[in-house]
């Protein structure tokens, strides 16, 4: 049951790219990031007021900057420059980069199954993103790589403070801090290049409103709330299985909302990447069940 619940936030996150392109085209990424983060953080603060301790503000500031400020901006750059399916599937390569990062930085050698699945995932990614087969925006690809690194570094910081700061406080204040930084950055950008902002405000429509409600309430407040709540009730391995809904939602929403279409070969590569990203977790779950004592009558 928990795995099915884990699919809900993963599904909403996977729709970010297509929903943004369909309902909020040409909106500045900094503005979208600020609108996604700050209202959601304030909603969570109203639901359960928390204030970090004085000594925790520096680390909370770093987490808010990386996890929200930079990450949300890059996500919306991806949403506005790459096909939804490519963005959704591309982001499942996070485990590969995380494996390499911790191998180099923390000297944690990956397990054989992780190395094998990572190598195959890299090969499938190379074939899918082959410039001779598909034309992709270089800025969007650079934003994808930056977003992946934000997840890895940000998750490492959050893990380091998870035992002394309540998860609700971390979630709430990273959204508020990151949203505040994005608001300031968007205001500065609006002073320098006001045209995209005025265009967004002057042409504001019901479709724009629906897109903002989806991104702020469902995608962020509900999605992130369920994410941190479920992590308290299930293992990371189990939660990862729910994450399969993320790339699938990206593929389906891109097809339904944006009319994105790929060849059978490209779809095969996408689902191959999804399977290889889950393979180490399948293997871990299998080993756990093999090692668990057999039920006695």
């Amino acid at each position: 049951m928990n795995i099915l619940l884990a699919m809900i936030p993963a599904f909403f996150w996977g729709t970010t790219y297509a929903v943004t392109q369909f309902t909020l085209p040409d909106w500045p990424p900094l503005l979208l990031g600020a609108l996604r983060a700050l209202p959601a953080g304030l909603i969570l603060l109203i639901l359960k007021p928390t204030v970090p301790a004085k000594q925790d503000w520096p680390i909370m500031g770093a987490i808010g900057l990386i996890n929200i400020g930079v990450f949300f901006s890059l996500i919306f750059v991806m949403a506005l420059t790459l096909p939804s399916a490519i963005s959704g599937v591309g982001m499942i390569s996070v485990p590969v980069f995380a494996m390499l990062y911790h191998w180099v930085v923390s000297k944690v050698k990956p397990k054989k199954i992780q190395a094998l699945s990572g190598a195959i995932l890299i090969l499938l990614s190379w074939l899918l993103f082959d410039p001779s087969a598909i034309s992709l925006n270089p800025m969007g690809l650079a934003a994808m790589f930056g977003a992946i690194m934000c997840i890895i570094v940000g998750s490492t910081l959050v893990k380091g403070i998870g035992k002394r700061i309540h998860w609700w406080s971390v979630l709430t204040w990273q959204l508020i801090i990151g949203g505040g930084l994005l608001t300031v950055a968007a205001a500065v950008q609006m002073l320098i290049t006001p045209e995209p902002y005025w265009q967004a405000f002057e042409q504001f429509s019901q479709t724009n409103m629906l897109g903002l409600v989806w991104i702020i309430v469902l995608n962020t407040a509900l999605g992130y709330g369920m994410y941190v709540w479920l992590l308290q009730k299930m293992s990371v391995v189990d939660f990862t299985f729910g994450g399969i809904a993320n790339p699938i939602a990206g593929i389906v929403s891109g097809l339904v909302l944006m009319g994105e279409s790929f060849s059978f070969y490209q779809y095969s590569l996408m689902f191959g990447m999804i399977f290889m990203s889950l393979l180490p977790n399948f293997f871990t779950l299998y080993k756990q069940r093999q090692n668990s004592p057999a039920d006695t009558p």
Side-chain angles (χ1 to χ4, degrees), residues 89-148:
V89 173
M91 289 299 289
I92 65 172
S93 58
V94 169
V96 176
F97 287 93
M99 177 182 68
L100 296 175
Y101 174 85
H102 290 296
W103 191 4
V104 173
V105 176
S106 305
K107 309 303 179 184
V108 177
K109 188 176 181 180
K111 298 177 181 178
K112 292 181 180 179
I113 187 65
Q114 291 175 320
L116 175 62
S117 63
I120 297 177
L121 189 57
I122 291 174
L123 174 62
L124 295 174
S125 301
W126 180 268
L127 295 173
L128 179 62
F129 298 149
D130 182 3
S132 64
I134 186 172
S135 179
L136 298 173
N137 189 309
M139 181 182 295
L141 293 176
M144 179 186 295
F145 175 75
I148 289 172

Side-chain angles (χ1 to χ4, degrees), residues 20-91:
T20 300
Q21 290 183 37
F22 184 74
T23 64
L24 301 161
D26 302 322
W27 279 47
L30 289 176
L31 175 61
L32 289 172
L35 291 173
R36 178 183 179 185
L38 190 56
L42 294 175
I43 290 172
L44 296 179
L45 182 64
I46 292 171
L47 292 176
K48 184 178 180 180
T50 59
V51 178
K54 182 179 180 180
Q55 66 270 19
D56 293 327
W57 281 107
I59 188 66
M60 287 301 303
I63 291 173
L65 173 64
I66 296 171
N67 276 3
I68 304 300
V70 179
F71 178 69
F72 276 16
S73 299
L74 294 174
I75 284 294
F76 284 116
V77 171
M78 291 169 53
L80 295 171
T81 57
L82 294 176
S84 174
I86 294 296
S87 295
V89 173
M91 289 299 289

Side-chain angles (χ1 to χ4, degrees), residues 113-191:
I113 187 65
Q114 291 175 320
L116 175 62
S117 63
I120 297 177
L121 189 57
I122 291 174
L123 174 62
L124 295 174
S125 301
W126 180 268
L127 295 173
L128 179 62
F129 298 149
D130 182 3
S132 64
I134 186 172
S135 179
L136 298 173
N137 189 309
M139 181 182 295
L141 293 176
M144 179 186 295
F145 175 75
I148 289 172
M149 294 309 300
C150 283
I151 292 176
I152 296 169
V153 176
S155 298
T156 303
L157 292 176
V158 171
K159 185 177 180 180
I161 65 171
K163 293 184 179 180
R164 75 171 192 270
I165 305 178
H166 193 272
W167 62 266
W168 185 274
S169 183
V170 174
L171 171 63
T172 299
W173 284 99
Q174 72 173 355
L175 286 169
I176 293 175
I177 293 171
L181 293 172
L182 283 169
T183 300
V184 173
V188 172
Q189 185 186 39
M190 184 171 67
L191 292 175

Side-chain angles (χ1 to χ4, degrees), residues 121-269:
L121 189 57
I122 291 174
L123 174 62
L124 295 174
S125 301
W126 180 268
L127 295 173
L128 179 62
F129 298 149
D130 182 3
S132 64
I134 186 172
S135 179
L136 298 173
N137 189 309
M139 181 182 295
L141 293 176
M144 179 186 295
F145 175 75
I148 289 172
M149 294 309 300
C150 283
I151 292 176
I152 296 169
V153 176
S155 298
T156 303
L157 292 176
V158 171
K159 185 177 180 180
I161 65 171
K163 293 184 179 180
R164 75 171 192 270
I165 305 178
H166 193 272
W167 62 266
W168 185 274
S169 183
V170 174
L171 171 63
T172 299
W173 284 99
Q174 72 173 355
L175 286 169
I176 293 175
I177 293 171
L181 293 172
L182 283 169
T183 300
V184 173
V188 172
Q189 185 186 39
M190 184 171 67
L191 292 175
I192 299 173
T193 54
E195 292 81 8
Y197 289 85
W198 285 118
Q199 182 178 358
F201 295 143
E202 290 175 352
Q203 300 179 4
F204 190 79
S205 66
Q206 186 177 7
T207 300
N208 298 148
M209 176 60 73
L210 291 174
L212 290 175
V213 170
W214 184 278
I215 289 172
I216 295 169
V217 179
L218 301 177
N219 189 303
T220 309
L222 177 62
Y224 274 83
M226 290 192 66
Y227 166 68
V228 293
W229 176 68
L230 286 168
L231 281 181
Q232 314 303 309
K233 298 180 175 294
M234 59 193 301
S235 69
V236 175
V237 173
D238 287 340
F239 187 85
T240 305
F241 286 116
I244 192 174
N246 187 318
I248 292 177
I251 295 171
V252 173
S253 61
L255 176 64
V256 173
L257 295 179
M258 303 304 299
E260 296 175 0
S261 180
F262 300 90
S263 66
F264 176 79
Y265 171 70
Q266 290 170 324
Y267 279 124
S268 299
L269 292 175

